[in-house]
Amino acid sequence: MASKKMEKYNLILDAALKVIAENGYHNAQVSRIAKEAGVADGTIYLYFKNKEDILISLFQKKLGDLVGQFHSSINETDSADEALRKICEIHYTMLEQNVDLAFVTQIELRQSSLELRKEIGLVVKTYIELIEKVLRQGVEEGIFRANLDVKLTRLLVFGSMDEVVTSWLIAGRKYSLAAQVEKTVEFFIQGLKA
């Protein structure tokens, strides 16, 4: 996409994130997203087929950016346990800093249709595969147990972090999510270590 088009595309996605977080996916109207983005209603349809396409694109962009950060940070680590800490730190910190994204990923995703969840699941898959790679690295390094069921454990790690974020939102964000990193990672490492 040309830079002007990409700029407008990102503007619409940011507006959609805000509108969906404030109103819920089902109550978020395309006209409201257009108004928030400062574009005409019809402009939305130059970039997206429908509201579902906006949500899928939103997840692809935002989670894609997040996974990109994970990869960059992991490349700077020396061990699997350090990489796992980095993943947890970025996950909690980014969602604490972007509450709209936290609401959409934690609350709205669970209320969307099965077909929509499948599409978004393809985006989440890259994140889960990254966790699996770190777990395999830990087994190879001898830091994590040799008999670790990596396929199950990757889901347990992802699911645990996901639940911590959801609980933080439901509790009204009364505490720092980022402050939960050390306790979370300590819990993971105790269960994973050789």
Side-chain angles (χ1 to χ4, degrees):
M1 260 188 226
S3 68
K4 278 258 194 220
K5 282 187 90 173
M6 193 61 170
E7 192 177 308
K8 196 166 279 190
Y9 175 85
N10 287 327
L11 186 68
I12 293 168
L13 287 182
D14 289 342
L17 180 63
K18 184 174 186 209
V19 171
I20 293 169
E22 288 175 357
N23 302 290
Y25 173 72
H26 296 293
N27 293 324
Q29 299 169 333
V30 172
S31 60
R32 177 73 178 101
I33 293 169
K35 183 177 179 185
E36 182 67 36
V39 299
D41 292 9
T43 302
I44 300 284
Y45 297 105
L46 296 174
Y47 294 88
F48 306 97
K49 289 181 269 187
N50 51 36
K51 190 167 70 168
E52 289 81 12
D53 188 31
I54 295 171
L55 186 62
I56 292 166
S57 299
L58 181 63
F59 273 93
Q60 288 172 333
K61 172 80 171 91
K62 298 297 181 182
L63 289 182
D65 291 350
L66 202 56
V67 171
Q69 283 191 341
F70 291 140
H71 280 292
S72 297
S73 293
I74 286 173
N75 290 338
E76 298 169 5
T77 61
D78 296 324
S79 64
D81 56 345
E82 206 180 308
L84 192 58
R85 177 174 275 103
K86 234 358 160 179
I87 288 172
C88 188
E89 182 182 310
I90 292 168
H91 188 109
Y92 289 178
T93 303
M94 292 304 292
L95 291 177
E96 184 171 30
Q97 290 172 354
N98 191 338
V99 177
D100 288 345
L101 182 61
F103 269 110
V104 172
T105 59
Q106 303 306 124
I107 309 298
E108 292 307 316
L109 175 58
R110 286 154 177 81
Q111 297 177 40
S112 56
S113 71
L114 178 61
E115 201 56 44
L116 198 52
R117 284 195 305 257
K118 281 182 187 176
E119 288 290 325
I120 293 165
L122 295 174
V123 179
V124 174
K125 184 179 178 185
T126 59
Y127 183 17
I128 291 172
E129 288 171 345
L130 177 67
I131 294 170
E132 180 179 341
K133 179 183 169 192
V134 169
L135 294 172
R136 288 193 190 286
Q137 177 189 340
V139 171
E140 289 168 14
E141 292 171 353
I143 296 171
F144 300 156
R145 291 183 282 117
N147 66 344
L148 191 67
D149 181 339
V150 175
K151 296 281 187 195
L152 175 61
T153 306
R154 70 185 187 169
L155 298 175
L156 295 171
V157 168
F158 176 79
S160 297
M161 290 189 298
D162 189 60
E163 183 57 32
V164 170
V165 176
T166 300
S167 296
W168 170 73
L169 287 170
I170 291 170
R173 306 182 333 261
K174 294 178 183 165
Y175 53 89
S176 168
L177 184 57
Q180 309 310 306
V181 170
E182 289 309 313
K183 292 179 214 163
T184 303
V185 173
E186 180 185 330
F187 176 77
F188 291 155
I189 301 299
Q190 289 301 314
L192 298 171
K193 70 181 180 180

